[in-house]
Amino acid sequence: MAVVRVGGVDVAYTRTGRGPVLVLAHGAGADGRMWQPQAEALADEFTVVAWDEPGSGRSGALPAGFGLADFAHALAAVIEDVGTGPAQVAGLSWGGTVVLELYRWRPDLVRSLLMVDTYAGWKGSLPPEEVAARVEGARRMLAAPREEFDPTLPGLYADGPPERFAAVLEAMNRDVRPETMGAQLSLMAEADETDLLPRITVPTLLLWGERDARSPLEVAHAFQDAIPHAELVVIPAVGHMSNLEAPEAFTAAVRAFCRAHA
């Protein structure tokens, strides 16, 4: 594990393997451990970097007032700390919104983009009534007593959490900090990155679970229409956490894209 200090917070990340750099940004209510199958499988060909964003995992507490641009600058600091130039950068769900903000501020650090079951922010990708329902659901979740706090968002999986990753999912859930998750979901509700999409000039992969209930395929198609020359790969029969529900198919798609654009 490596640590870089940025914006007043220590940001932890792991670095595995050798070769072109692939940076992985996790979703809300998770940390870099969610990328375990990809880090293990891709390290034979790539330097796989998985961060714990500020306020998550082994990183320091989230500073007050930390905004979406601050998350992006923290991710930029990780890429710079790795020190091998522009990286291929992937983000799942909330992580994809952070990665888009990274591209807004530091396109020089991005060789290619992998947008995974993500959003141009909830405001940018979902109907207003759906955003309002999610905000209310998050409010109820965060109002629960700490001993009853459950960070599991509805609709993450097509067929329930995969048993083979039960231990790591339970460990991540135990470590979720309610104040961080509240900030993540609040920022996601207000974010609208749609203005950026037509200006993306790097190779872009859209990787989606066919049965994603949180970011439906309509969102993927909107990305495909907006981002010049974006490639869409749909993984059959899986949901929002496609990297864990179908890790072999997911990793094969990532490998093929990254190899083509390394």
Side-chain angles (χ1 to χ4, degrees), residues 43-241:
D44 63 333
E45 189 173 352
F46 300 94
T47 299
V48 183
V49 175
W51 82 330
D52 292 349
E53 72 178 27
S56 301
R58 294 154 297 184
S59 291
L62 193 69
F66 210 76
L68 183 57
D70 298 306
F71 281 102
H73 291 309
L75 184 55
V78 168
I79 296 172
E80 291 180 319
D81 196 57
V82 173
T84 57
Q88 305 197 72
V89 189
L92 187 149
S93 192
W94 151 255
T97 304
V98 172
V99 168
L100 285 174
E101 190 72 1
L102 167 72
Y103 187 82
R104 180 186 300 279
W105 291 99
R106 294 298 306 274
D108 58 299
L109 294 178
V110 180
R111 185 178 301 279
S112 69
L113 289 169
L114 296 86
M115 300 281 95
V116 183
D117 295 284
T118 189
Y119 317 87
W122 285 352
K123 185 176 181 180
S125 291
L126 301 174
E129 59 273 17
E130 175 63 20
V131 175
R134 293 189 183 197
V135 169
E136 175 57 24
R139 186 196 64 77
R140 291 195 302 269
M141 176 184 69
L142 294 164
R146 185 65 181 93
E147 62 273 13
E148 299 175 14
F149 174 66
D150 180 0
T152 306
L153 295 169
L156 291 179
Y157 305 97
D159 292 311
E163 182 60 32
R164 59 175 156 166
F165 299 118
V168 71
L169 289 170
E170 290 170 6
M172 285 194 296
N173 279 351
R174 285 195 303 269
D175 291 342
V176 171
R177 306 171 209 178
E179 60 276 13
T180 298
M181 196 161 185
Q184 291 167 331
L185 298 181
S186 177
L187 291 170
M188 181 76 97
E190 292 299 322
D192 184 350
E193 303 282 294
T194 52
D195 68 299
L196 177 66
L197 304 183
R199 307 203 303 270
I200 292 174
T201 60
V202 296
T204 302
L205 175 67
L206 310 172
L207 188 52
W208 242 259
E210 179 188 31
R211 294 168 58 189
D212 190 341
R214 292 198 62 81
S215 181
L217 273 177
E218 290 81 4
V219 177
H221 291 306
F223 270 87
Q224 189 176 28
D225 290 342
I227 300 174
H229 312 298
E231 171 189 357
L232 173 61
V233 173
V234 177
I235 303 176
V238 300
H240 193 62
M241 298 291 287

